[in-house]
Amino acid sequence: MDVFCDVLQFRDHVMSYSECADRLKSDIRLAKKLGFRNVRTLATTPAEVMIEALPVAEECDIKIGKEIHAPIPINGQYVNEIVEYCQKTGTKHLGLVPDWGIFAFRPSEVTLDWYVRQGAKRESCDLVTELCMDNYLGKSNELNDIDLSLYSAGNVESMFHRYLKHGDAPEDLIPAFNKMQKMIRENVPGYTDIDFEVMGQALLLSRTKAEDLKSIMPYIVSIHGKLYNMSEIPGKPGTYQDISMDYEKPIQFLKDNGYEGYINSEYEGQRRFQDRGVEDLISEVDQVRKHQEMLKRLLGE
């Protein structure tokens, strides 16, 4: 069961860690009543909140799984603090829920098409794809040099916007920010602010590799099988892929290392069609069906 905590839901104060923990305890008890065995918290949920709610999870025999969501890397603080606590205490009711978006290596084509409909230039979309693929293939290192364990998606995007307006950013971000700004200015005639938004999509990738899963294998509660757009593989009718992320190598790694848990199809591409008429909406059921085809094929079922 997915749970959230809006810390700004009261008019007179921001919720404290203890208040958030009390809310999580209530969610855990609700999950028990509804028959769920796992509760997923957001990636930015403080470990202190989860640990304070842990006795209730153990009492209800419910596992709390902290999501690992892009751009957070597996080897960062948000993950290490959970692994270290589990190792120290031996608890079996706390763990991690990797989101497959951490294996994305380029923006989805449906995301880029959405930006074009909002006024971005197609050249900007081509440039951000080029930047991401050069990084993925080892042709450039500006993105790899960013320590994403220090930033959330919202924070790194905000810092890019600040850099564009004021030239100010943390030192480790400046080489990437400078290159991204320069690519747009030098290659996109008539660029506007939204073209920099497109380029900012490069900052939302965790750049996680399949072998990075090794350190967290004992602590995986389940996995979110993220998909943005399932398209047919050229020359292979009836078989599908998401061109923005790596599924083949991580699944092979999970198979080789004895993973027996769930991979849940999580379709998020629909949000890139909600600016269009109902006649142009994509079938969510069909997208999940195609994702399941890919999973079965890669798992060898």
Side-chain angles (χ1 to χ4, degrees):
M1 185 175 87
D2 287 354
V3 301
F4 302 82
C5 188
D6 178 5
V7 299
L8 300 177
Q9 59 190 277
F10 296 106
R11 288 174 177 262
D12 59 346
H13 71 286
V14 177
M15 288 175 67
S16 67
Y17 280 11
S18 289
E19 285 178 299
C20 292
D22 286 342
R23 186 63 54 85
L24 179 54
K25 293 173 187 176
S26 177
D27 289 335
I28 291 168
R29 293 188 178 102
L30 177 61
K32 179 70 172 180
K33 288 181 180 179
L34 294 174
F36 289 97
R37 300 182 65 181
N38 305 326
V39 163
R40 184 231 60 175
T41 66
L42 291 175
T44 53
T45 302
E48 294 89 341
V49 171
M50 302 171 69
I51 291 168
E52 187 172 334
L54 190 55
V56 174
E58 292 172 339
E59 173 190 324
C60 294
D61 194 22
I62 296 284
K63 289 184 178 180
I64 306 174
K66 183 175 186 176
E67 186 174 22
I68 311 175
H69 196 284
I72 296 170
I74 284 179
N75 57 356
Q77 173 189 340
Y78 287 119
V79 176
N80 290 340
E81 61 189 7
I82 298 300
V83 170
E84 289 169 4
Y85 186 86
C86 292
Q87 290 174 339
K88 179 176 70 175
T89 65
T91 182
K92 302 300 182 184
H93 291 85
L94 183 64
L96 300 161
V97 178
D99 181 289
W100 217 280
I102 62 178
F103 297 112
F105 51 82
R106 53 153 291 179
S108 169
E109 70 272 38
V110 297
T111 296
L112 298 179
D113 288 345
W114 180 87
Y115 273 110
V116 170
R117 294 197 300 274
Q118 309 313 306
K121 306 292 191 299
R122 179 59 68 179
E123 293 95 328
S124 303
C125 300
D126 294 340
L127 285 170
V128 72
T129 301
E130 176 187 329
L131 175 63
C132 292
M133 292 306 299
D134 281 352
N135 181 81
Y136 181 63
L137 297 173
K139 296 179 181 179
S140 66
N141 292 312
E142 290 88 353
L143 297 177
N144 281 333
D145 290 340
I146 299 175
D147 183 358
L148 287 170
S149 67
L150 304 175
Y151 309 106
S152 68
N155 286 342
V156 75
E157 283 188 296
S158 295
M159 290 173 184
F160 184 45
H161 294 156
R162 180 177 178 83
Y163 177 79
L164 294 173
K165 291 181 180 297
H166 306 290
D168 178 38
E171 187 174 344
D172 66 313
L173 298 178
I174 289 177
F177 286 2
N178 181 59
K179 181 172 184 175
M180 293 160 64
Q181 182 185 52
K182 187 175 181 181
M183 289 178 73
I184 294 295
R185 286 181 170 177
E186 295 183 355
N187 298 284
V188 183
Y191 63 81
T192 61
D193 288 348
I194 197 169
D195 293 294
F196 293 106
E197 292 278 348
V198 172
M199 189 57 72
Q201 293 297 300
L203 301 169
L204 306 183
L205 307 176
S206 299
R207 302 184 295 280
T208 301
K209 296 179 172 56
E211 55 268 26
D212 294 337
L213 289 166
K214 185 173 183 179
S215 63
I216 66 166
M217 285 293 293
Y219 312 107
I220 296 177
V221 174
S222 64
I223 299 174
H224 284 181
K226 179 68 61 64
L227 61 140
Y228 296 114
N229 187 59
M230 299 303 297
S231 58
E232 192 167 73
I233 300 174
K236 297 182 178 181
T239 61
Y240 302 93
Q241 63 181 347
D242 188 317
I243 66 170
S244 68
M245 64 185 77
D246 182 8
Y247 260 93
E248 186 170 346
K249 290 191 288 292
I251 283 184
Q252 188 61 53
F253 185 90
L254 291 170
K255 289 172 60 179
D256 292 344
N257 287 272
Y259 180 69
E260 296 181 348
Y262 288 99
I263 300 174
N264 310 305
S265 293
E266 183 187 17
Y267 176 51
E268 286 192 0
Q270 74 275 31
R271 63 187 62 180
R272 298 305 185 181
F273 290 86
Q274 291 169 354
D275 63 315
R276 310 184 73 176
V278 65
E279 67 278 2
D280 294 317
L281 295 181
I282 198 164
S283 169
E284 299 181 13
V285 172
D286 188 55
Q287 282 287 300
V288 171
R289 179 187 66 78
K290 291 174 178 176
H291 187 254
Q292 288 289 308
E293 180 282 323
M294 178 189 68
L295 291 178
K296 290 179 180 178
R297 174 169 45 82
L298 294 178
L299 290 168
E301 294 184 359

